[in-house]
Every structure is written in structure tokens, then in C-alpha cells.
């Protein structure tokens, strides 16, 4: 199969995800990347709308969907497939030595990464807890012991679901740790006594100084997802992913939680030259329920193509069993999809939990 590199033209806000993840064969010419906006002040306090429900790209599940889930019991793997749990890849190793110009990633499990960029150590959606509310306990240990972490220079949060925003983990951090969070989530963080909280809307950015000179830029970008933490706060805060860029233009994209859709091509247009995309491949079955909010392995490979990213590191699997697919299936399917797309094998960073990779 020949890889297609054309990106479809960006769809308007709220447009539904295309039915075919490979997109049209004859895509129009892509306009040049827009000039990125100036970064906003770190720790800026802002006022937001009461709801971000207008940002949804698909309707949220209703009562009928919930009743079907209860009736079919279709959100858990079969007892037979649970025998695969001991085979899930878990190979903790030491964090790599890095300099100010080195980019390296270590998978701690689920959507938690230790990203080393521009001399900074950045945690993504850190969840070091064994259990999270409403979810069975993790089936693999955390890949990086907390005591082995270097000082954490920043944390990025994609959205407020409990498997991505874990208060017990955040409480381990000094309260002056810079937190970069979606719009509407700042008050929650400040109530927990964090003092350097930067809330951003989609397509906004902030920067932190790099020990090697210059800055590391944190851009908040859209995702096909939603937010809720309690019974009465649905979509009261935003959701999205992050693009981290160092002074040399090296870029890491962290998708957070997302379904497949038009936003990937637009992110790739605005942030060309993504070196590594951290993309979710699990928690996708049943598709009738989860397609709008969780990519399956084939869609993740298509998203990597849409982004124009050179490399992909799968995540959001092998940690918490949130849905019905067999535990090992995401890894098998993503490897097949990557090969079918004609991508070089060495550019699929299908890391075991606890393993690291360094950008050349």
C-alpha cells in the first residue's frame, strides 16, 4: 500500500468525523501554515464561558446508549481474553540521560509520559495511582517509580476525566509546579493550591524558559472528545491535546483522549514537522459506543498520517481495561495497520510500559 501524504482541507468547527479514516484520494491543495499566535502569560487568570458543549463534534451518549451497555454488558473484555494480561508488555528501565537539545519520551502507562524536551521534564496526564474512580485497578504497574523521576518542570493535562486527571498523583507535586490545562479547569487546580496554572483555549500557547536557552512552547490543540468529572459539570471545561516545541523546532504531539476526525489534518497544517505523535490506540470497543471519542488502532495510524508526523508512539492501552477489546489486540492491530500503510517499522515506537526512546 502506498502512503498518501495529502491532508484534507480543514473542516469547520463542529463538523463530523469522516466515515473513511483514509480520507479522499484527491485532496485539495493545503494552504500554508498560519503564523502561530503569540504565547499568553504563564499563570494568567481568565474568564471562560459556562459550557463548551458547542465544541462537541458528536452528540454524547444518551439514556438509550447507557441502557444498551447495561443490557449487553459490552464494556468489559471476555473472561477468556483476560488470560492475555500477563503478556502485556512491561519493561521498566532507567530514564535516558538527556541534554538541553535532546527529546526523549518514557511511557509510564496509559496516557502518562515523561517527556524530556528543551532541558525540561514534562509529565502528560500523570496517573501514578493503582486505582481510579469507577475503573478496575490497573493491570500493569506504573513504568516509572515516582522516586526515580527528575524534578518535574511542567505538567500538561488533556481533560478532566479521572483516568487523565488524577488528584492523588498531582498531590505528589510541589504546588508551584507549572500546570498547563484546558480552559475552564484552572479553578479546580487552584482550589488544590497550585499556584502556577495556565488555562488555554484551542490554538493558544504559553512558553517556559529552556535551560539550554530559548523556550519550550506549549500549544493546546483540539480533540474529538468531551469532559466531565461529576454529575453536573458535563463540558464545563475544555478538552484537547498538546504540541510541545523546543527552540530548534523539534515537536512532540500528545493527543490526550480523542476520536478520529478532521482536527488531525488541521493540527498538522498549523504545526508542520511533528517529529513524534503520542496517539491512543485502546478503549475502542464497542465501536457503536466509543468511535466518536476513542481512536482504534487503524484510525490512530490514519491520524498520524493526517498530522504529517514522522513517528508514532501508541498509548492508552495495556494499563486500565476500560472497554471490551481483548487486552493485547490494540498492539497487534496497530502493527498490522502501520505495515499496511507502508510506514517504516522503526518509526512505530510501540514501547513496553516503562521503556524509553530518544529522538535522533
Amino acid at each position: 500500500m502506498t502512503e498518501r501524504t495529502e491532508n484534507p482541507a480543514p473542516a469547520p468547527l463542529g463538523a463530523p468525523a469522516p466515515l473513511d479514516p483514509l480520507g479522499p484520494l484527491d485532496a485539495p491543495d493545503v494552504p500554508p501554515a498560519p503564523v502561530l499566535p503569540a504565547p499568553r502569560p504563564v499563570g494568567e487568570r481568565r474568564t471562560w464561558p459556562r459550557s463548551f458543549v458547542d465544541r462537541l463534534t458528536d452528540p454524547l451518549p444518551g439514556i438509550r446508549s447507557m441502557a444498551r451497555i447495561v443490557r449487553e454488558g459490552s464494556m468489559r473484555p471476555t473472561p477468556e481474553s483476560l488470560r492475555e494480561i500477563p503478556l502485556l508488555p512491561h519493561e521498566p528501565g532507567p530514564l535516558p540521560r538527556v541534554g538541553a537539545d535532546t527529546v526523549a519520551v518514557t511511557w509510564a502507562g496509559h496516557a502518562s509520559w515523561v517527556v524530556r524536551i528543551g532541558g525540561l521534564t514534562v509529565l502528560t496526564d500523570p496517573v501514578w495511582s493503582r486505582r481510579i474512580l469507577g475503573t478496575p485497578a490497573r493491570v500493569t504497574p506504573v513504568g516509572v517509580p515516582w522516586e526515580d523521576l527528575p524534578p518535574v518542570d511542567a505538567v500538561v493535562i488533556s481533560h478532566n476525566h479521572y483516568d487523565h486527571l488524577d488528584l492523588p498523583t498531582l498531590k505528589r507535586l510541589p504546588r508551584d509546579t507549572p500546570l498547563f490545562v484546558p480552559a475552564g479547569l484552572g479553578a479546580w487546580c487552584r482550589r488544590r493550591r497550585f499556584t502556577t496554572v495556565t488555562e488555554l483555549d484551542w490554538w493558544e500557547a504559553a512558553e517556559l524558559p529552556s535551560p539550554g536557552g530559548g523556550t519550550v512552547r506549549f500549544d493546546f490543540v483540539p480533540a474529538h472528545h468531551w469532559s466531565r468529572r461529576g454529575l453536573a459539570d458535563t463540558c464545563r471545561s475544555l478538552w484537547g491535546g498538546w504540541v510541545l516545541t523546543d527552540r530548534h523546532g523539534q515537536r512532540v504531539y500528545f493527543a490526550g483522549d480523542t476520536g478520529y476526525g478532521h482536527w488531525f489534518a488541521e493540527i498538522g497544517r498549523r504545526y508542520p514537522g511533528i517529529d513524534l505523535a503520542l496517539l491512543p490506540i485502546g478503549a475502542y470497543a464497542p465501536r457503536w459506543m466509543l468511535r466518536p471519542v476513542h481512536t482504534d488502532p487503524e484510525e490512530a495510524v490514519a491520524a498520524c498520517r493526517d498530522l504529517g508526523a514522522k513517528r508514532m508512539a501508541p498509548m492508552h492501552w495495556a494499563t486500565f481495561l476500560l472497554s471490551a477489546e481483548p487486552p493485547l489486540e490494540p498492539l497487534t492491530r496497530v502493527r498490522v495497520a502501520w505495515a499496511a500503510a507502508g510506514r517504516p517499522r522503526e518509526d512505530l515506537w510501540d514501547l513496553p510500559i516503562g521503556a524509553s526512546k530518544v529522538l535522533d
Side-chain angles (χ1 to χ4, degrees), residues 61-84:
I63 295 176
R64 289 185 179 180
S65 295
M66 296 297 103
R68 181 177 174 183
I69 286 292
V70 172
R71 183 172 66 251
E72 297 179 357
S74 56
M75 289 295 287
R76 294 289 298 154
T78 64
E80 293 78 14
S81 70
L82 293 177
R83 297 171 185 167
E84 299 176 358

Side-chain angles (χ1 to χ4, degrees), residues 38-46 120 153-156 175-181 190 194-200 204-210 215-219 242:
R40 300 192 68 94
V42 170
E44 178 184 21
R45 289 180 178 256
R46 305 171 66 181
L120 302 181
D153 298 296
V155 171
V156 297
R175 294 305 189 268
D176 61 350
T177 303
L179 304 185
F180 294 90
V181 303
R190 294 186 186 99
F194 285 93
T195 59
T196 310
V197 182
T198 305
E199 298 175 89
L200 296 176
E204 292 183 341
E207 292 180 341
L208 287 180
S210 168
T215 61
V216 173
R217 181 177 168 111
F218 296 72
D219 283 82
W242 294 90

Side-chain angles (χ1 to χ4, degrees), residues 10-346:
L13 181 65
L19 296 178
D20 177 10
L22 292 181
L25 288 173
D26 299 318
D29 292 337
V30 177
V35 176
L36 296 179
R40 300 192 68 94
V42 170
E44 178 184 21
R45 289 180 178 256
R46 305 171 66 181
T47 301
W48 300 104
R50 181 172 174 79
S51 173
F52 294 92
V53 70
D54 61 314
R55 306 290 185 94
L56 292 171
T57 46
D58 283 276
L60 295 176
I63 295 176
R64 289 185 179 180
S65 295
M66 296 297 103
R68 181 177 174 183
I69 286 292
V70 172
R71 183 172 66 251
E72 297 179 357
S74 56
M75 289 295 287
R76 294 289 298 154
T78 64
E80 293 78 14
S81 70
L82 293 177
R83 297 171 185 167
E84 299 176 358
I85 289 175
L87 303 177
L88 293 172
H90 182 266
E91 299 177 15
L95 293 175
R97 293 177 177 270
V98 298
D101 296 328
T102 304
V103 175
V105 295
T106 303
W107 189 29
H110 202 52
S112 302
W113 293 86
V114 184
V115 179
R116 320 287 288 283
I117 183 169
L120 302 181
T121 296
V122 181
L123 301 185
T124 70
D125 288 0
V127 179
W128 260 249
S129 297
R130 182 175 176 269
R131 287 184 177 274
I132 54 175
L133 185 66
T135 301
R138 63 195 309 146
V139 295
T140 47
V142 180
V144 183
W146 188 264
E147 59 271 18
D148 290 351
L149 288 173
V152 175
D153 298 296
V155 171
V156 297
I157 299 295
S158 63
H159 65 300
N160 70 354
H161 287 160
Y162 282 87
D163 60 320
H164 293 259
L165 178 62
D166 182 51
L167 180 57
T169 300
L170 291 182
K171 283 183 174 180
R172 298 186 181 197
L173 295 165
R175 294 305 189 268
D176 61 350
T177 303
L179 304 185
F180 294 90
V181 303
L185 198 53
W188 184 93
C189 299
R190 294 186 186 99
R191 285 196 299 270
R192 276 76 188 174
R193 296 186 288 111
F194 285 93
T195 59
T196 310
V197 182
T198 305
E199 298 175 89
L200 296 176
D201 201 343
W202 289 348
W203 312 124
E204 292 183 341
E207 292 180 341
L208 287 180
S210 168
T215 61
V216 173
R217 181 177 168 111
F218 296 72
D219 283 82
F220 188 53
V221 296
H224 299 273
H225 206 62
W226 64 300
S227 71
R228 186 175 71 186
R229 201 163 176 87
L231 296 177
D233 65 348
T234 300
C235 297
R236 294 282 181 86
S237 62
L238 200 49
W239 52 91
W242 294 90
V243 177
L244 310 184
T245 308
D246 72 4
R247 63 174 179 159
H248 300 293
Q250 296 181 107
R251 279 187 167 144
V252 176
Y253 165 66
F254 168 66
D257 226 351
T258 182
Y260 181 78
H262 66 279
W263 284 130
F264 292 111
E266 179 64 8
I267 293 166
R269 185 178 77 87
R270 294 184 186 229
Y271 305 94
I274 293 172
D275 295 284
L276 173 64
L278 311 176
L279 286 162
I281 65 167
Y284 53 79
R287 295 310 284 149
W288 67 263
M289 174 76 170
L290 295 172
R291 181 184 301 276
V293 293
H294 288 162
T295 50
D296 65 21
E298 294 78 16
E299 291 169 333
V301 172
C304 186
R305 180 213 58 210
D306 294 351
L307 290 161
K310 182 176 180 181
R311 305 167 187 86
M312 170 181 162
M315 64 173 183
H316 207 267
W317 76 285
T319 309
F320 298 104
L321 300 184
L322 303 175
S323 56
E325 73 271 6
L328 271 174
E329 184 181 276
L331 180 62
T332 302
R333 285 176 54 174
V334 78
R335 288 173 172 172
V336 171
W338 191 262
R343 304 292 295 263
R345 180 62 182 87
E346 63 271 17

